[in-house]
Amino acid sequence: MSDIVHERHRELAKGLHVFESRPPNGFGRRMTVVELGGGKLAVHHPIDLDEPGRLDALGQVELILVPNAFHTVEVGVLAQRYPGAKVAASKNLEAKLKGLGARLDLSYETWPSDWSAQLGCVFLEGTRFDEAVFFHV
């Protein structure tokens, strides 16, 4: 468990949740959780919750989305906690993810069409931090 103080969970809309935290350094963070149907979840910008049961109560983590090179700190923790989940990121982050104990299963540059029916992905080519934007369909 990290030394981060997790403040709250909110449901923004049906099937769309956020977990917000305030680390000791004062920079707030937000993990977004999308219900994909069938009890499966996509987690965007993974953070290590003090009480993982709050996430587990929403469903089964199917997909861990790493939005860019800056949001990788705790991806390994979630990848190890949910070994059946697929980790998605830019292919340029593969070595960094491996060093954090995670593997790259899906690349934003070649986002699978079967995922696009539920969760769209646009990879922003040419950005300095390998950014991707997601939208719930």
Side-chain angles (χ1 to χ4, degrees):
M1 179 170 29
S2 64
D3 59 354
I4 293 172
V5 177
H6 293 280
E7 299 175 350
R8 63 182 175 166
H9 161 238
R10 293 184 296 139
E11 185 173 21
L12 294 178
K14 184 168 176 51
L16 184 64
H17 306 263
V18 294
F19 289 87
E20 295 173 312
S21 68
R22 178 79 46 198
N25 67 12
F27 291 105
R29 299 187 317 158
R30 177 179 293 159
M31 176 173 71
T32 305
V33 179
V34 179
E35 294 180 22
L36 299 173
K40 298 183 190 284
L41 306 173
V43 174
H44 178 268
H45 180 203
I47 58 177
D48 182 17
L49 298 173
D50 291 331
E51 298 174 28
R54 295 189 303 163
L55 178 59
D56 297 339
L58 297 175
Q60 176 185 348
V61 177
E62 177 79 10
L63 187 59
I64 299 170
L65 304 166
V66 183
N68 60 41
F70 280 138
H71 295 99
T72 59
V73 175
E74 297 181 35
V75 67
V77 173
L78 265 72
Q80 291 170 19
R81 185 174 293 142
Y82 304 103
K86 290 181 169 52
V87 176
S90 166
K91 63 184 176 186
N92 297 330
L93 298 179
E94 188 167 14
K96 186 173 188 176
L97 292 174
K98 186 176 181 182
L100 295 168
R103 74 213 170 277
L104 179 65
D105 296 307
L106 297 172
S107 166
Y108 296 151
E109 293 86 345
T110 57
W111 191 248
S113 59
D114 58 328
W115 281 101
S116 296
Q118 297 179 71
L119 191 64
C121 174
V122 177
F123 179 67
L124 304 176
E125 293 186 49
T127 61
R128 185 174 168 193
F129 303 109
D130 297 305
E131 296 273 353
V133 175
F134 298 90
F135 50 96
H136 187 218
V137 181

